[in-house]
Amino acid sequence: MKILVTGFDPFNNDIINPSIEAVRLLPNFINEVEIIKIEVPTVFFKSLNIIEEAIIKYQPDVVLSIGQAGGRSDISIERIGINIDDAKIVDNENNQIIDDKIFVDGPDAYFTTLPIKAMVENIKKYGIPSSISNSAGTFVCNHVTYGVAHLLGTKYANKRSGFIHIPYLPSQTLMFSNVASMELNTIVKAIIYAIHAIIENENDIKVTGGKLH
Ligand code: PCA
């Protein structure tokens, strides 16, 4: 088994993105599973092209993408990607797409195909806060969540994909008050526990992870 793990470069004038920092620190193997790590630009479509090239090159069984969700307090495992780009800020090549479909011929949404509940439960088992998220936003992270699912659904069968949003690092929050953050080594551990759950659960477990609102 091979897992392709992707992280984004810094965006929105930030100098660091914890997603690529965490991805770089992952081991090359988890159990017998090979972990392939790539950096992806925070750019609409180009991000997907880079991931598709890696899918062709490495033939992974799973594509797991990681992105920063500044302000969120826990490791959030995304349930769904939706077929819309609606950018509040420009991407790293100055694109600001507003209300366009990602793939005009694609369905409205794709559920991710990873065992999201098992991932949350395994991360929490080791004392790290985690929850299911029902929206990956409408910027490049949702674009990748939806776009990779569309690629796998239309061109590369029998592969699973999903997305994890992670908080800021403490150093990114120094100029704010009351903004959540998480240490890099805790984030790295959480991703490893999530990967263990992916390896061990072909199908998801049935536990509650829903929200009232
Ligand atoms: N987070 C952004 C894009 C890149 C990243 O790490 C997002 O949530 O869309």
Side-chain angles (χ1 to χ4, degrees):
M1 191 176 183
K2 256 190 236 173
I3 303 185
L4 173 67
V5 188
T6 77
F8 287 101
D9 63 356
F11 64 103
N12 201 22
N13 300 318
D14 219 334
I15 53 166
I16 196 165
N17 187 326
S19 68
I20 188 59
E21 301 301 323
V23 168
R24 283 199 193 110
L25 291 174
L26 292 173
N28 295 328
F29 284 87
I30 294 178
N31 295 346
E32 307 287 281
V33 174
E34 190 181 351
I35 307 298
I36 297 142
K37 302 165 248 179
I38 62 164
E39 180 172 326
V40 171
T42 303
V43 177
F44 289 111
F45 293 103
K46 197 184 224 182
S47 47
L48 287 176
N49 293 340
I50 303 271
I51 295 173
E52 184 170 14
E53 278 169 20
I55 292 170
I56 294 166
K57 183 168 173 196
Y58 299 109
Q59 293 293 321
D61 302 281
V62 171
V63 182
L64 174 64
S65 299
I66 318 292
Q68 164 187 299
R72 287 200 196 169
S73 60
D74 68 359
I75 302 290
S76 45
I77 313 296
E78 298 295 345
R79 194 196 293 263
I80 194 163
I82 58 176
N83 192 8
I84 193 87
D85 288 329
D86 185 8
K88 200 174 172 180
I89 54 172
V90 293
D91 71 11
N92 283 351
E93 290 189 355
N94 250 359
N95 307 298
Q96 189 165 15
I97 304 176
I98 297 177
D99 288 352
D100 282 353
K101 285 189 175 202
I102 302 168
F103 288 103
V104 283
D105 55 347
D108 286 343
Y110 283 99
F111 287 110
T112 61
T113 44
L114 297 180
I116 56 172
K117 303 283 181 71
M119 292 160 76
V120 165
E121 291 306 310
N122 205 40
I123 293 167
K124 289 201 298 191
K125 191 170 110 189
Y126 291 94
I128 301 170
S130 178
S131 64
I132 303 291
S133 160
N134 296 299
S135 172
T138 53
F139 191 48
V140 181
C141 288
N142 172 70
H143 185 90
V144 161
T145 308
Y146 180 90
V148 172
H150 188 68
L151 285 173
L152 300 189
T154 52
K155 289 163 89 172
Y156 308 98
N158 300 320
K159 298 182 191 300
R160 297 185 287 165
S161 71
F163 200 98
I164 301 179
H165 259 131
I166 60 173
Y168 279 138
L169 299 176
S171 62
Q172 292 177 284
T173 66
L174 298 179
M175 67 288 260
F176 309 123
S177 59
N178 271 322
V179 172
S181 63
M182 194 178 272
E183 288 286 350
L184 184 59
N185 63 358
T186 306
I187 294 173
V188 173
K189 280 187 204 156
I191 297 171
I192 293 171
Y193 300 140
I195 290 174
H196 277 289
I198 294 168
I199 296 168
E200 284 155 24
N201 295 271
E202 191 69 37
N203 300 305
D204 209 353
I205 56 173
K206 200 154 183 155
V207 294
T208 182
K211 288 188 172 129
L212 286 189
H213 41 73

